[in-house]
Amino acid sequence: MSFNATQSQAPDARKNGDLYRDYVDDKNAPSQDTLYAASNGAPIAHPYESQRAGENGPLLLQDFHLIDLLSHFDRERIPERVVHAKGSGAHGFYRTTDSLEDLSLADVFKPGKTVPITIRFSTVGGEMGSADCARDPRGFAMKFRTEEGNWDLVANNTPVFFLRDPAKFPHFIHTQKRHPATNLGAADDSTMFWDYLSQNPESVHQVMVLMGDRGIPDGYRYMHGYSGHTFKLVNAQGEWVYAQFHMKSKQGTRFLTNDQAATKGPDYSQRDLYEAIERGEYPGWDFAVQTVTPKQAEEMWEKEGINVFDLTHVWPQGKYPLRKVGEFFLNENAKNYFAEVEQAAFSPSHLVPGIEPSADPVLQSRLFSYPDTHRHRLGTNYAQLPVNAPRVPYRFANFQRNGAMAFYNQGGRENYLSSISPINFRKRAVDADATHAHWTGEMVTFLSEIRPEDFQAPRALWEKVWDEGARSRFVETVAGNMSRCGDKEIIKRQIGIFREVSDDMATRLEKATGVQGYPGIKGLRFNGSHNGMAEEKSLRAANGQEQSRAWEAKNNNGAPRAGTHH
């Protein structure tokens, strides 16, 4: 017998959407309001039951609940991040206290503008289960959910990094991982680490920061953040400047000595951040910007040897002061760490109108690398996950559809640029043609060289910033770390690099390690960087390979020399 449902008996198709689970409702629902069920929603009487062929017989394949339970369990770990695997995060808000509209048309920089944010702090080299108090740089990744889309500021707690040539990054990170033969990490064998550093002297400033007092912050609340990379700010008139972003802790900065760090639990920083927020002690930071005009950028190189595209260089704040723009606070812990922190995906290519990338080569490589790793780790639709989804006051659409876990697949709208049912467009806010340097010339095979100006900022750190206590702790830390390096030649080379910073530093390290270092780098050849300070021309080229003739003729080490900008 057939059954014909009447209109009153049939469900209202217009309300089908109400049947979908709501993420926010599910996130905040207490256990008492939930019903145990299989993944298809079917209620299960008890989670520990299984179906067997008799009281003492084998299991039945038809037991979907058990099979589904085990199958999900087998797959419930996604790949950990290649770098920044161990981290902590929380939610909060950012607000602009001092308008930046004269420099940027970004909506987020209008006076009084407040937007929700998510921040993930992390260590760089360690594995998922590594210690929070390891001597390692810290990640400081921020997601601003603006009304013009998500802006991700992927920063560190150090103003510089170990490299300025993008192809070095995977190789350097490999030295932070376990040795392929011994499976030992750097805590037991630091040979790979110091071998890399001693062959790439541009890393010396970051090495000093890492081995100095800032190398182990006392939790994430007591550290600053730095973009490190140079960006561009573009205003409504199409004028632009180079910019770096600084996050200054309102709590001040505190550090742990090696001995203090050894007494802390592996999740010390995670616990400190979580419990502070639970107590209502919401950590905050001031948000500031440091800017230079295109003309100033050229003069910085010509007169001071500072390259705005160089991740190992800093801009002196005495000459290029910080300008406060806003502040932000963390006032909400994650309800579910995996969903809201582990699945959070940050990328420096996630920009909004008024903020543009510069020609910084390491930044340029990260514009691709970060979203690519998210597609691998989380899936092609990673941006649809609630923690990553934009919160804009308009329905946005594109023609990126399908793929695994496509929660929002843009309905039945045309999946091409249709003239029958056209999509809307907003007028261009930034004239990209006018906001870049004057690039002209042949293709150049580029690798940077070591020059005297690379040691200026490290020397100032040793001689003018650190007090005697900080110098002594640095020497003790470096010597202790080098004691796990199995090759004395590597130590000799690294002390030679330190001697270019300060003979006093090198002499102290020689005494602490018992190894006599080289008198400097003028007599050394490096396998990773050209040595522009070598006395013999045969030692100048990295690994004995000739430099590009076009690159060598310009002699600007990748900096914006005079005439670069219109």
PDB file of all heavy atoms in Angstrom, residues 215-232:
ATOM      1  N   GLY A 215      66.064  34.008  26.057  1.00  0.00           N
ATOM      2  CA  GLY A 215      65.950  32.673  25.462  1.00  0.00           C
ATOM      3  C   GLY A 215      64.913  31.790  26.114  1.00  0.00           C
ATOM      4  O   GLY A 215      64.387  30.866  25.482  1.00  0.00           O
ATOM      5  N   ILE A 216      64.591  32.042  27.393  1.00  0.00           N
ATOM      6  CA  ILE A 216      63.554  31.270  28.086  1.00  0.00           C
ATOM      7  C   ILE A 216      62.637  32.257  28.805  1.00  0.00           C
ATOM      8  O   ILE A 216      62.875  32.621  29.959  1.00  0.00           O
ATOM      9  CB  ILE A 216      64.135  30.265  29.100  1.00  0.00           C
ATOM     10  CG1 ILE A 216      65.251  29.423  28.468  1.00  0.00           C
ATOM     11  CG2 ILE A 216      63.026  29.348  29.628  1.00  0.00           C
ATOM     12  CD1 ILE A 216      65.888  28.428  29.442  1.00  0.00           C
ATOM     13  N   PRO A 217      61.579  32.726  28.164  1.00  0.00           N
ATOM     14  CA  PRO A 217      60.651  33.637  28.849  1.00  0.00           C
ATOM     15  C   PRO A 217      59.964  32.921  30.011  1.00  0.00           C
ATOM     16  O   PRO A 217      59.755  31.705  29.984  1.00  0.00           O
ATOM     17  CB  PRO A 217      59.638  34.001  27.754  1.00  0.00           C
ATOM     18  CG  PRO A 217      60.268  33.596  26.470  1.00  0.00           C
ATOM     19  CD  PRO A 217      61.181  32.454  26.782  1.00  0.00           C
ATOM     20  N   ASP A 218      59.581  33.681  31.022  1.00  0.00           N
ATOM     21  CA  ASP A 218      58.862  33.127  32.167  1.00  0.00           C
ATOM     22  C   ASP A 218      57.375  33.031  31.817  1.00  0.00           C
ATOM     23  O   ASP A 218      56.536  33.765  32.336  1.00  0.00           O
ATOM     24  CB  ASP A 218      59.071  34.011  33.395  1.00  0.00           C
ATOM     25  CG  ASP A 218      58.481  33.398  34.662  1.00  0.00           C
ATOM     26  OD1 ASP A 218      58.076  32.217  34.619  1.00  0.00           O
ATOM     27  OD2 ASP A 218      58.419  34.097  35.685  1.00  0.00           O
ATOM     28  N   GLY A 219      57.069  32.125  30.920  1.00  0.00           N
ATOM     29  CA  GLY A 219      55.695  31.987  30.450  1.00  0.00           C
ATOM     30  C   GLY A 219      55.407  32.948  29.306  1.00  0.00           C
ATOM     31  O   GLY A 219      56.162  33.881  29.027  1.00  0.00           O
ATOM     32  N   TYR A 220      54.292  32.716  28.646  1.00  0.00           N
ATOM     33  CA  TYR A 220      53.951  33.505  27.465  1.00  0.00           C
ATOM     34  C   TYR A 220      53.476  34.909  27.804  1.00  0.00           C
ATOM     35  O   TYR A 220      53.541  35.810  26.959  1.00  0.00           O
ATOM     36  CB  TYR A 220      52.866  32.788  26.668  1.00  0.00           C
ATOM     37  CG  TYR A 220      53.304  31.451  26.130  1.00  0.00           C
ATOM     38  CD1 TYR A 220      52.553  30.306  26.359  1.00  0.00           C
ATOM     39  CD2 TYR A 220      54.471  31.327  25.387  1.00  0.00           C
ATOM     40  CE1 TYR A 220      52.954  29.071  25.857  1.00  0.00           C
ATOM     41  CE2 TYR A 220      54.882  30.106  24.886  1.00  0.00           C
ATOM     42  CZ  TYR A 220      54.112  28.976  25.126  1.00  0.00           C
ATOM     43  OH  TYR A 220      54.508  27.762  24.635  1.00  0.00           O
ATOM     44  N   ARG A 221      53.008  35.125  29.033  1.00  0.00           N
ATOM     45  CA  ARG A 221      52.482  36.456  29.381  1.00  0.00           C
ATOM     46  C   ARG A 221      53.584  37.499  29.489  1.00  0.00           C
ATOM     47  O   ARG A 221      53.325  38.695  29.368  1.00  0.00           O
ATOM     48  CB  ARG A 221      51.723  36.387  30.711  1.00  0.00           C
ATOM     49  CG  ARG A 221      50.462  35.546  30.678  1.00  0.00           C
ATOM     50  CD  ARG A 221      49.721  35.630  32.006  1.00  0.00           C
ATOM     51  NE  ARG A 221      50.474  35.044  33.115  1.00  0.00           N
ATOM     52  CZ  ARG A 221      50.432  35.465  34.370  1.00  0.00           C
ATOM     53  NH1 ARG A 221      49.699  36.519  34.686  1.00  0.00           N
ATOM     54  NH2 ARG A 221      51.124  34.873  35.320  1.00  0.00           N
ATOM     55  N   TYR A 222      54.803  37.043  29.708  1.00  0.00           N
ATOM     56  CA  TYR A 222      55.907  37.964  30.004  1.00  0.00           C
ATOM     57  C   TYR A 222      56.918  38.019  28.858  1.00  0.00           C
ATOM     58  O   TYR A 222      58.113  37.947  29.065  1.00  0.00           O
ATOM     59  CB  TYR A 222      56.586  37.548  31.305  1.00  0.00           C
ATOM     60  CG  TYR A 222      55.682  37.667  32.503  1.00  0.00           C
ATOM     61  CD1 TYR A 222      55.006  36.553  32.996  1.00  0.00           C
ATOM     62  CD2 TYR A 222      55.468  38.891  33.123  1.00  0.00           C
ATOM     63  CE1 TYR A 222      54.155  36.659  34.091  1.00  0.00           C
ATOM     64  CE2 TYR A 222      54.620  39.014  34.215  1.00  0.00           C
ATOM     65  CZ  TYR A 222      53.971  37.883  34.688  1.00  0.00           C
ATOM     66  OH  TYR A 222      53.120  37.993  35.771  1.00  0.00           O
ATOM     67  N   MET A 223      56.417  38.123  27.646  1.00  0.00           N
ATOM     68  CA  MET A 223      57.314  38.278  26.505  1.00  0.00           C
ATOM     69  C   MET A 223      56.678  39.225  25.490  1.00  0.00           C
ATOM     70  O   MET A 223      55.460  39.347  25.399  1.00  0.00           O
ATOM     71  CB  MET A 223      57.623  36.925  25.859  1.00  0.00           C
ATOM     72  CG  MET A 223      56.456  36.254  25.166  1.00  0.00           C
ATOM     73  SD  MET A 223      56.908  34.630  24.490  1.00  0.00           S
ATOM     74  CE  MET A 223      55.519  34.354  23.389  1.00  0.00           C
ATOM     75  N   HIS A 224      57.546  39.915  24.747  1.00  0.00           N
ATOM     76  CA  HIS A 224      57.103  40.777  23.663  1.00  0.00           C
ATOM     77  C   HIS A 224      56.953  39.949  22.384  1.00  0.00           C
ATOM     78  O   HIS A 224      57.381  38.802  22.317  1.00  0.00           O
ATOM     79  CB  HIS A 224      58.111  41.899  23.409  1.00  0.00           C
ATOM     80  CG  HIS A 224      58.335  42.817  24.571  1.00  0.00           C
ATOM     81  ND1 HIS A 224      57.332  43.196  25.429  1.00  0.00           N
ATOM     82  CD2 HIS A 224      59.475  43.449  25.007  1.00  0.00           C
ATOM     83  CE1 HIS A 224      57.822  44.020  26.338  1.00  0.00           C
ATOM     84  NE2 HIS A 224      59.116  44.189  26.117  1.00  0.00           N
ATOM     85  N   GLY A 225      56.349  40.571  21.379  1.00  0.00           N
ATOM     86  CA  GLY A 225      56.237  39.951  20.068  1.00  0.00           C
ATOM     87  C   GLY A 225      56.708  40.902  18.987  1.00  0.00           C
ATOM     88  O   GLY A 225      56.598  42.129  19.131  1.00  0.00           O
ATOM     89  N   TYR A 226      57.234  40.336  17.897  1.00  0.00           N
ATOM     90  CA  TYR A 226      57.778  41.151  16.794  1.00  0.00           C
ATOM     91  C   TYR A 226      57.418  40.499  15.461  1.00  0.00           C
ATOM     92  O   TYR A 226      57.568  39.283  15.302  1.00  0.00           O
ATOM     93  CB  TYR A 226      59.304  41.250  16.878  1.00  0.00           C
ATOM     94  CG  TYR A 226      59.832  41.737  18.206  1.00  0.00           C
ATOM     95  CD1 TYR A 226      60.072  40.841  19.238  1.00  0.00           C
ATOM     96  CD2 TYR A 226      60.100  43.087  18.423  1.00  0.00           C
ATOM     97  CE1 TYR A 226      60.572  41.270  20.462  1.00  0.00           C
ATOM     98  CE2 TYR A 226      60.601  43.530  19.644  1.00  0.00           C
ATOM     99  CZ  TYR A 226      60.829  42.615  20.662  1.00  0.00           C
ATOM    100  OH  TYR A 226      61.321  43.038  21.868  1.00  0.00           O
ATOM    101  N   SER A 227      56.993  41.311  14.498  1.00  0.00           N
ATOM    102  CA  SER A 227      56.732  40.750  13.171  1.00  0.00           C
ATOM    103  C   SER A 227      58.019  40.257  12.533  1.00  0.00           C
ATOM    104  O   SER A 227      57.994  39.298  11.758  1.00  0.00           O
ATOM    105  CB  SER A 227      56.057  41.788  12.270  1.00  0.00           C
ATOM    106  OG  SER A 227      56.947  42.857  11.962  1.00  0.00           O
ATOM    107  N   GLY A 228      59.154  40.907  12.854  1.00  0.00           N
ATOM    108  CA  GLY A 228      60.418  40.509  12.239  1.00  0.00           C
ATOM    109  C   GLY A 228      60.468  40.898  10.773  1.00  0.00           C
ATOM    110  O   GLY A 228      61.368  41.611  10.324  1.00  0.00           O
ATOM    111  N   HIS A 229      59.502  40.468  10.027  1.00  0.00           N
ATOM    112  CA  HIS A 229      59.409  40.808   8.606  1.00  0.00           C
ATOM    113  C   HIS A 229      58.925  42.240   8.416  1.00  0.00           C
ATOM    114  O   HIS A 229      58.272  42.825   9.289  1.00  0.00           O
ATOM    115  CB  HIS A 229      58.430  39.872   7.899  1.00  0.00           C
ATOM    116  CG  HIS A 229      58.910  38.469   7.789  1.00  0.00           C
ATOM    117  ND1 HIS A 229      60.072  38.134   7.140  1.00  0.00           N
ATOM    118  CD2 HIS A 229      58.386  37.310   8.249  1.00  0.00           C
ATOM    119  CE1 HIS A 229      60.239  36.824   7.194  1.00  0.00           C
ATOM    120  NE2 HIS A 229      59.238  36.302   7.868  1.00  0.00           N
ATOM    121  N   THR A 230      59.233  42.762   7.245  1.00  0.00           N
ATOM    122  CA  THR A 230      58.779  44.084   6.848  1.00  0.00           C
ATOM    123  C   THR A 230      57.537  43.971   5.975  1.00  0.00           C
ATOM    124  O   THR A 230      57.519  43.193   5.018  1.00  0.00           O
ATOM    125  CB  THR A 230      59.883  44.825   6.081  1.00  0.00           C
ATOM    126  OG1 THR A 230      61.011  45.013   6.947  1.00  0.00           O
ATOM    127  CG2 THR A 230      59.390  46.172   5.587  1.00  0.00           C
ATOM    128  N   PHE A 231      56.517  44.745   6.318  1.00  0.00           N
ATOM    129  CA  PHE A 231      55.293  44.817   5.523  1.00  0.00           C
ATOM    130  C   PHE A 231      55.162  46.228   4.951  1.00  0.00           C
ATOM    131  O   PHE A 231      56.028  47.084   5.164  1.00  0.00           O
ATOM    132  CB  PHE A 231      54.077  44.484   6.396  1.00  0.00           C
ATOM    133  CG  PHE A 231      54.025  43.040   6.827  1.00  0.00           C
ATOM    134  CD1 PHE A 231      54.736  42.607   7.942  1.00  0.00           C
ATOM    135  CD2 PHE A 231      53.276  42.119   6.116  1.00  0.00           C
ATOM    136  CE1 PHE A 231      54.699  41.277   8.338  1.00  0.00           C
ATOM    137  CE2 PHE A 231      53.229  40.788   6.500  1.00  0.00           C
ATOM    138  CZ  PHE A 231      53.939  40.364   7.616  1.00  0.00           C
ATOM    139  N   LYS A 232      54.088  46.459   4.226  1.00  0.00           N
ATOM    140  CA  LYS A 232      53.769  47.794   3.732  1.00  0.00           C
ATOM    141  C   LYS A 232      52.408  48.212   4.260  1.00  0.00           C
ATOM    142  O   LYS A 232      51.490  47.395   4.344  1.00  0.00           O
ATOM    143  CB  LYS A 232      53.712  47.818   2.202  1.00  0.00           C
ATOM    144  CG  LYS A 232      55.022  47.557   1.489  1.00  0.00           C
ATOM    145  CD  LYS A 232      54.782  47.559  -0.019  1.00  0.00           C
ATOM    146  CE  LYS A 232      56.048  47.277  -0.787  1.00  0.00           C
ATOM    147  NZ  LYS A 232      55.788  47.212  -2.251  1.00  0.00           N
TER     148      LYS A 232
END
